[in-house]
Amino acid sequence: ADTKRTNVPYYAPTMSKPPHRIAPTKASQLSNRREMTQRRSEISAQIRKSKRSERIARRRFINSSRDDCGSGSGASTSTVHMHMHVNMNGTQQLGLLIQTFLDSNSSESLNELQQALAGSMEQQHDTASLLLECTSPQVKTVLLSRLAACLNTAAATTVDKLNASRILINLATSSEWCASMVEQHVVLPEIVRALSSCVAVVAQSSAWSADVDVITLAEQISWAIGNVCSDSSEARMQAMDSGALEALIRAFNLTHHALTSNAAQQTEVFMGFCRNSVWALSNLARGHETSALPFLCASTSSSIYGYTDAGKRGDDTFLRRESLMAVLLMKNQHHIHEAKAVDELKQEVCWLLAYLTAKEDEAVHKLCLNSVDNRLCNALVSHLEYTWNAALEQKVSGTVSNDAILTLAARSLPIIRTIGNISTACDGYFVSPFLSAGGTAGVSGHNLSLLPDIIAKLILLPLESGMLPERSALACESAWVAGALLVDAGVVDNTGKEHPSNFASVVLCPALCRVLSSHSTKLELKREAAFALWNTVAKSPGANYGGGNDMQRTNMILRDIASFDGLIPCLCRTLLTAADADANLAALMLISSMLTRLQADAAWHELLQRKLSEEGIVDSLDQVCDRASSSYYSSKGGDSMEQAANIAADLIDDFFAEEILFDDIDDDQNNIHASQSFTFQVPPVSAGGFNFGCHHGGPSATVQGVDQGRGRGRGKALPAWMQQQQQR
């Protein structure tokens, strides 16, 4: 989700710093002709920019006529602004406009400053950095205080408040300006107080016919709060203490009720306000230190950011499960722009759910437990199905287009992440409801939802033509969700009824094996697929299904995975040799399960072991041990690297010790033949070896920082057969 947004037309994307200007060349004998040519080019470019800026100014003046009504200076202000843009650089222009506003405090100067900031943002300039260059700390403090106070000044017009809020939105895209707002301890509370006032006015309006300008102002203020809250935990703490949570939730409850009940006379304006309030709430819920309980219930007694008055809040200041589900189940409008607005609102609600479900299990219980017929699970699965079908409608030559993939990734990621968070919470209690949500007769005639089928198709997206980073990112998230849904594979209840994960494995495991064995998929996706397969075959307690684990069924799945064409080479030559501790660990756990649990069929187990040897597993295991002994890789891998090295050393000891012994015997025979051949006479070397710069005969210098490696008898993972030989 977008963490920060700028107030520019059509929701322009986040901007980056402009490229540095090309330095002028040195003078030469032909410099006059070159200078004249360059000057003509610069003048032509300046004229084109001036005309383009004037066209933009005229267009903006026409589009914002409602905001500028009553000011009487719309056209003249734009003209003055464009002439200043031509005759001076951006820093000088913004500095002059800021000083003019601070001196006069007039509506005209405020409007000029807002137009200059919006024009700079639209031209992809780093406006916040320009403002930092032209303002001192004292000026910055006065400017922020003046803008925040304008939002709550009774004498200020609605147009002035709109301009002040839009300036604050653009300033809050910079971390430096956000830090200044938090440090003053008055700016953010003033902004929150202005939002509370606007929400109170909207709530008192009859028949949802509130003033459009008030709703638009509330939308802009919630936008500014969202930008500030996305910056740091200190900003979120101050916003919570200032009452931003109650104001934003009350705004969402009001607007969503107006939209879902078709009572809003200004649907488009209410839609924007509802979307921005949900988006600001999602930014407020970011971070590991934020609790989800203040968002959902008043029963918590824990102090969250000094927030202990949850019991004093009204019912309209908490998120209700029914309200969130009502948004997810909203029907799209017939008009294109209205349908897009509804999809964007659903997307923001899914991001809010993704952040809330990533917190305490109690929050997941509050959202999902005691829900009639698992309505939230059904709503999420239905919304994911709708999003996937919308992407399929844009197929080109039988392949989903890149534009459709971009839209699919943006709208599906929060849904998939929410499903994964809920599935992994509460000891997997909600896995079965997800797999049975809206279930129809599917795999093997069992009542299974469409979720496994959609997840499998999302996992296989990178195998289609036209590789995009969005495809791989979406497939990685889907593989993670697949692992969460398959964790109960092999579980049966007391009556012999199998868990839905058993039937979902028939759809998901082949998709995971395909991306894992493919040569075109990235390492990140292979790693997630390997972990998902490991979750499938690992022993599950099955406590939430009232039964036990059928290891025979799980071993059958494991054998099918091991027999998949191209999977063993990928494990040995790709995942084990990668400088990625997590990828090494996932591959080693799969290989260890295959070798230790599939020994009932001796012939098949011998064939598996021979195939692993042909793929060079001994050398790969040795590399894992060596990387764990290296200080560089061990510091990066952490506990995963240590665990992977231990598993690799155990596999060498238990299954490949004889192969290493035969290799060592061959090496000894080669050394014997080499000693019998002709050699040049070399002076004898002491047992200590060569020691350059030291006395002859002394011990060789030990290289510091390099430990002895593991595997093949080196270091602490010394195989048992080598210990026996040393004792002899």
Side-chain angles (χ1 to χ4, degrees):
D2 296 334
T3 56
K4 290 182 181 292
R5 299 190 302 202
T6 55
N7 192 329
V8 295
Y10 312 113
Y11 289 93
T14 308
M15 290 140 302
S16 58
K17 293 184 178 180
H20 296 288
R21 294 184 178 180
I22 301 176
T25 57
K26 294 183 179 180
S28 61
Q29 295 179 353
L30 300 178
S31 60
N32 293 333
R33 181 182 301 175
R34 296 177 179 175
E35 289 177 359
M36 292 299 295
T37 303
Q38 184 178 1
R39 184 178 179 183
R40 284 195 300 269
S41 301
E42 291 177 354
I43 293 175
S44 300
Q46 195 175 40
I47 292 174
R48 289 194 301 271
K49 290 180 180 179
S50 176
K51 291 182 178 179
R52 178 177 179 273
S53 300
E54 291 176 0
R55 289 196 301 269
I56 293 174
R58 287 195 297 270
R59 186 173 70 249
R60 181 177 293 127
F61 174 68
I62 294 174
N63 293 336
S64 60
S65 58
R66 186 188 73 233
D67 297 342
D68 294 334
C69 61
S71 62
S73 59
S76 61
T77 299
S78 300
T79 305
V80 172
H81 159 61
M82 292 306 156
H83 283 299
M84 294 174 61
H85 180 74
V86 172
N87 295 327
M88 62 179 65
N89 58 38
T91 304
Q92 295 173 343
Q93 173 196 355
L94 292 175
L96 180 60
L97 291 175
I98 290 173
Q99 193 62 44
T100 303
F101 167 66
L102 295 180
D103 293 340
S104 63
N105 197 22
S106 61
S107 300
E108 291 78 8
S109 60
L110 181 62
N111 186 57
E112 289 179 12
L113 179 58
Q114 193 277 329
Q115 293 287 346
L117 284 175
S120 180
M121 287 285 185
E122 190 174 2
Q123 296 175 13
Q124 304 294 309
H125 291 167
D126 192 0
T127 306
S129 299
L130 293 177
L131 286 174
L132 288 174
E133 295 177 3
C134 64
T135 55
S136 61
Q138 294 79 9
V139 172
K140 183 165 54 176
T141 301
V142 176
L143 175 63
L144 292 175
S145 302
R146 188 77 59 82
L147 292 173
C150 180
L151 298 176
N152 296 294
T153 303
T157 63
T158 306
V159 176
D160 294 340
K161 294 180 180 181
L162 283 170
N163 288 330
S165 62
R166 288 165 180 166
I167 293 174
L168 288 171
I169 289 172
N170 291 333
L171 293 180
T173 58
S174 169
S175 298
E176 291 81 2
W177 284 97
C178 286
S180 300
M181 295 180 188
V182 176
E183 290 173 359
Q184 294 188 35
H185 297 284
V186 293
V187 177
L188 192 53
E190 286 288 329
I191 299 175
V192 174
R193 187 161 69 92
L195 176 62
S196 301
S197 301
C198 293
V199 173
V201 172
V202 175
Q204 294 173 1
S205 302
S206 59
W208 307 105
S209 57
D211 188 3
V212 175
D213 290 336
V214 176
I215 301 175
T216 305
L217 177 59
E219 175 189 355
Q220 300 294 309
I221 295 176
S222 60
W223 193 340
I225 294 175
N227 275 354
V228 177
C229 291
S230 67
D231 187 71
S232 62
S233 59
E234 291 78 9
R236 290 187 285 272
M237 180 189 303
Q238 191 174 118
M240 295 277 284
D241 292 338
S242 303
L245 180 61
E246 299 95 311
L248 290 171
I249 293 179
R250 185 179 289 112
F252 167 70
N253 290 333
L254 285 171
T255 52
H256 111 270
H257 179 67
L259 292 172
T260 54
S261 62
N262 296 323
Q265 297 181 2
Q266 300 290 339
T267 305
E268 184 177 355
V269 180
F270 270 92
M271 186 72 70
F273 186 19
C274 187
R275 181 184 64 245
N276 278 8
S277 62
V278 176
W279 172 78
L281 282 171
S282 64
N283 279 347
L284 194 61
R286 295 171 64 89
H288 298 287
E289 73 285 345
T290 307
S291 174
L293 298 181
F295 291 77
L296 301 171
C297 58
S299 60
T300 176
S301 59
S302 59
S303 177
I304 310 298
Y305 293 143
Y307 193 86
T308 57
D309 58 342
K312 302 178 182 179
R313 290 163 53 183
D315 292 338
D316 60 338
T317 60
F318 295 98
L319 289 173
R320 293 188 290 269
R321 177 178 58 237
E322 293 75 13
S323 302
L324 299 172
M325 289 189 299
V327 173
L328 293 178
L329 297 175
M330 282 179 61
K331 294 182 179 180
N332 292 330
Q333 305 297 324
H334 297 291
H335 301 289
I336 297 178
H337 68 280
E338 293 182 359
K340 182 179 179 181
V342 172
D343 289 338
E344 290 176 351
L345 176 58
K346 292 181 179 180
Q347 178 180 343
E348 298 301 340
V349 169
C350 290
W351 275 118
L352 176 59
L353 287 172
Y355 288 126
L356 294 178
T357 53
K359 312 294 182 180
E360 304 92 342
D361 284 2
E362 185 179 350
V364 178
H365 269 281
K366 185 69 177 179
L367 282 170
C368 302
L369 201 62
N370 299 327
S371 177
V372 180
D373 297 329
N374 300 309
R375 291 178 58 192
L376 182 59
C377 297
N378 292 338
L380 289 169
V381 175
S382 299
H383 186 36
L384 180 61
E385 181 184 357
Y386 161 77
T387 306
W388 171 254
N389 292 333
L392 292 181
E393 293 177 357
Q394 305 181 35
K395 273 192 173 183
V396 178
S397 301
T399 305
V400 182
S401 62
N402 291 339
D403 293 338
I405 289 297
L406 294 176
T407 305
L408 177 66
R411 296 177 180 174
S412 298
L413 276 176
I415 313 173
I416 294 173
R417 192 167 297 178
T418 303
I419 294 175
N421 289 340
I422 297 176
S423 300
T424 55
C426 306
D427 296 328
Y429 182 87
F430 298 101
V431 171
S432 181
F434 269 123
L435 294 177
S436 304
T440 57
V443 181
S444 302
H446 293 277
N447 193 30
L448 196 67
S449 70
L450 294 176
L451 181 60
D453 186 59
I454 298 175
I455 295 296
K457 293 177 181 177
L458 293 175
I459 292 173
L460 296 175
L461 273 180
L463 300 184
E464 297 183 2
S465 58
M467 176 67 68
L468 283 177
E470 290 76 13
R471 293 178 186 264
S472 181
L474 187 57
C476 287
E477 294 277 351
S478 302
W480 167 66
V481 173
L485 296 176
L486 294 176
V487 72
D488 289 322
V491 174
V492 294
D493 64 3
N494 296 327
T495 62
K497 182 180 178 181
E498 296 189 16
H499 193 279
S501 294
N502 294 320
F503 311 120
S505 64
V506 180
V507 179
L508 293 174
C509 285
L512 294 169
C513 291
R514 282 188 60 187
V515 296
L516 183 57
S517 59
S518 175
H519 297 286
S520 59
T521 52
K522 295 183 178 180
L523 178 63
E524 292 79 7
L525 179 55
K526 292 179 181 292
R527 180 182 62 234
E528 293 295 337
F531 271 119
L533 292 174
W534 162 246
N535 284 344
T536 305
V537 299
K539 184 176 181 180
S540 175
N544 295 320
Y545 203 64
N549 187 268
D550 186 2
M551 292 305 299
Q552 184 177 1
R553 176 63 183 270
T554 307
N555 289 340
M556 290 175 59
I557 299 175
L558 179 60
R559 180 164 177 170
D560 293 338
I561 293 173
S563 303
F564 196 89
D565 187 26
L567 190 134
I568 296 297
C570 175
L571 294 178
C572 297
R573 300 187 180 275
T574 303
L575 294 185
L576 285 183
T577 58
D580 188 324
D582 292 330
N584 300 155
L585 181 59
L588 285 168
M589 288 190 297
L590 276 176
I591 295 174
S592 178
S593 299
M594 295 175 188
L595 291 173
T596 55
R597 290 165 48 183
L598 301 180
Q599 300 185 28
D601 189 346
W604 191 89
H605 186 270
E606 183 180 355
L607 180 63
L608 172 65
Q609 192 168 352
R610 187 185 308 118
K611 190 172 183 180
L612 288 170
S613 300
E614 292 174 355
E615 298 298 336
I617 188 174
V618 175
D619 293 335
S620 299
L621 294 175
D622 209 12
Q623 291 180 23
V624 174
C625 297
D626 291 341
R627 281 195 296 270
S629 302
S630 172
S631 58
Y632 173 75
Y633 288 106
S634 60
S635 61
K636 294 179 61 178
D639 296 336
S640 298
M641 179 64 75
E642 183 73 16
Q643 186 179 357
N646 291 332
I647 296 176
D650 291 339
L651 289 177
I652 291 176
D653 284 346
D654 297 338
F655 298 100
F656 303 101
E658 295 182 358
E659 183 176 345
I660 296 176
L661 177 61
F662 292 149
D663 291 341
D664 292 340
I665 292 175
D666 293 338
D667 293 338
D668 294 339
Q669 292 179 353
N670 293 333
N671 292 333
I672 293 174
H673 292 302
S675 62
Q676 294 176 353
S677 61
F678 174 79
T679 56
F680 290 98
Q681 295 295 326
V682 181
V685 182
S686 62
F690 289 101
N691 191 5
F692 297 99
C694 302
H695 297 289
H696 291 288
S700 60
T702 303
V703 180
Q704 297 181 356
V706 180
D707 301 329
Q708 293 295 324
R710 310 182 196 215
R712 296 198 180 186
R714 294 195 300 272
K716 51 187 175 182
L718 191 64
W721 63 273
M722 285 193 173
Q723 295 179 359
Q724 296 175 359
Q725 284 188 349
Q726 290 182 358
Q727 292 175 0
R728 294 174 185 175

